[in-house]
Amino acid sequence: QVQLVESGGGLVQAGGSLRLSCVASGIILKINVMGWYRQAPGKQRELVAHILPGDRTDYHDSVKGRFTISRDNSRNTMYLQMNSLKPEDTAIYYCNADVKVPGWSNNRDYWGQGTQVTVSS
């Protein structure tokens, strides 16, 4: 079983910064795509950014230039550096990973439990 654990959320004033981390643990053969999603109250979960094994990245337009996604494959860890935070960035942020595990031909999809990010105006 693979577990994803996020950390780094919290309360910050508008214009501030936070750094989220996501650590994957368990029996992992390889992690393919990793991504950060967020869900604000009353809204659907949306993809914020994702990163491929070769460090190719993509971002939602609303966070381009402010957020940076990165990963450390040796530590099975992904990060999201969030700068110039806005109140509309307030949401629960979830880590997602596409993982190759023993016993399965296809990769399996895993989610973390989420970490709250609150940006005050």
Side-chain angles (χ1 to χ4, degrees):
Q1 183 71 13
V2 173
Q3 289 188 327
L4 303 181
V5 178
E6 303 101 331
S7 61
L11 173 63
V12 64
Q13 288 188 334
S17 297
L18 284 173
R19 189 192 194 207
L20 305 183
S21 299
C22 170
V23 180
S25 62
I27 302 176
I28 297 170
L29 299 179
K30 184 180 180 181
I31 301 177
N32 189 16
V33 180
M34 300 187 79
W36 287 99
Y37 289 73
R38 67 185 179 188
Q39 187 166 19
K43 294 187 177 181
Q44 290 188 332
R45 189 174 297 189
E46 65 177 5
L47 177 62
V48 175
H50 71 246
I51 183 167
L52 299 176
D55 290 343
R56 179 179 171 184
T57 60
D58 200 7
Y59 298 89
H60 191 278
D61 285 345
S62 65
V63 306
K64 282 182 180 178
R66 299 188 299 121
F67 291 10
T68 302
I69 189 171
S70 60
R71 63 192 286 173
D72 182 343
N73 294 324
S74 66
R75 298 173 184 264
N76 288 337
T77 301
M78 175 178 64
Y79 306 96
L80 186 68
Q81 178 65 44
M82 304 186 295
N83 299 328
S84 302
L85 283 161
K86 304 175 181 180
E88 51 263 43
D89 294 319
T90 296
I92 299 175
Y93 283 71
Y94 296 91
C95 169
N96 174 260
D98 182 62
V99 184
K100 177 66 175 172
V101 298
W104 292 91
S105 299
N106 298 321
N107 289 357
R108 306 284 289 175
D109 191 56
Y110 294 93
W111 290 88
Q113 81 290 347
T115 185
Q116 177 71 48
V117 171
T118 303
V119 185
S120 63
S121 56

